Amino acid sequence: MSRLRALALLTVAWVGLVTVYGVADDLGLLGDPPAHGKPARRVPASRAAQADIPASYLKVYQRAARRCPGLSWAVLAAIGKVESDHGRARLPGVRSGANPAGAAGPMQLGIGRGRAGNAWARYGDDHDHDSYASVYDPGDAIPAAADYLCANGAHRNLDRALYAYNPSWSYVAHVKAVARRYAARQSGGGRR
């Protein structure tokens, strides 16, 4: 019985350690420090990103990230994936209307109709200069999302900015995991 008890305690301790390590990694406590206003390295798209992200969206993600020093295009792309599968999801609010929380468009920005707030009123604009500002247009919505993240400190603390975007730590962890998958590893530099 004492061997079984010792094994059970060891298992519980191991699971606890792995859980704490995973949460710390998800929160960015073990990874690279925040960028502190430095421009983000231009990280190429991984094969997974190239296969999953429509080319027109990829260009907009890359261009929009330049609006916020230290913000990676892969983070914007990860938000686009999680929120709407890069505009391909057939969910309420992606192409018209709003979801039950009051968010709309491929980046699911709040449009003032619910708990999602009204980020679009503050950050939305005709960013693609087609004479029409639309939360449903990725050329307008993606730069608005970049501006929102930047205004919420993405250059200082990405986790807090992502949490402001969607107040869920599991959301933050999910977005960061997708972003890591989208960013190609650079060769020759060892472990990053």
Side-chain angles (χ1 to χ4, degrees):
M1 182 81 164
S2 65
R3 277 185 147 186
L4 186 58
R5 176 178 262 161
L7 183 58
L9 287 173
L10 186 59
T11 302
V12 168
W14 177 253
V15 168
L17 179 64
V18 169
T19 301
V20 167
Y21 181 84
V23 169
D25 186 43
D26 287 343
L27 294 175
L29 300 175
L30 303 177
D32 296 332
H36 298 294
K38 296 177 185 173
R41 276 188 319 210
R42 293 227 175 142
V43 178
S46 67
R47 288 186 188 143
Q50 292 172 19
D52 188 38
I53 304 169
S56 61
Y57 271 68
L58 181 57
K59 288 177 187 173
V60 178
Y61 291 134
Q62 291 170 331
R63 189 171 42 249
R66 294 183 207 133
R67 301 172 70 85
C68 182
L71 178 63
S72 169
W73 69 266
V75 170
L76 288 172
I79 292 170
K81 174 66 174 180
V82 171
E83 295 291 353
S84 72
D85 191 22
H86 310 294
R88 296 178 290 218
R90 299 202 180 274
L91 298 170
V94 173
R95 294 192 180 107
S96 65
N99 72 14
M107 300 304 278
Q108 291 292 282
L109 293 162
I111 58 171
R113 294 189 194 162
R115 71 178 193 273
N118 200 356
W120 181 251
R122 181 161 184 174
Y123 303 103
D125 200 359
D126 179 21
H127 294 290
D128 61 3
H129 308 290
D130 66 357
S131 301
Y132 184 67
S134 172
V135 72
Y136 307 104
D137 179 351
D140 296 335
I142 295 168
D147 291 350
Y148 180 90
L149 290 167
C150 204
N152 281 281
H155 55 289
R156 289 185 308 277
N157 189 320
L158 179 60
D159 290 352
R160 285 189 189 151
L162 289 171
Y163 189 84
Y165 197 94
N166 186 329
S168 161
W169 290 114
S170 63
Y171 175 85
V172 171
H174 189 195
V175 166
K176 289 177 72 176
V178 173
R180 282 191 298 269
R181 190 168 45 99
Y182 280 168
R185 290 203 175 262
Q186 307 250 337
S187 61
R191 187 170 183 243
R192 292 190 308 156

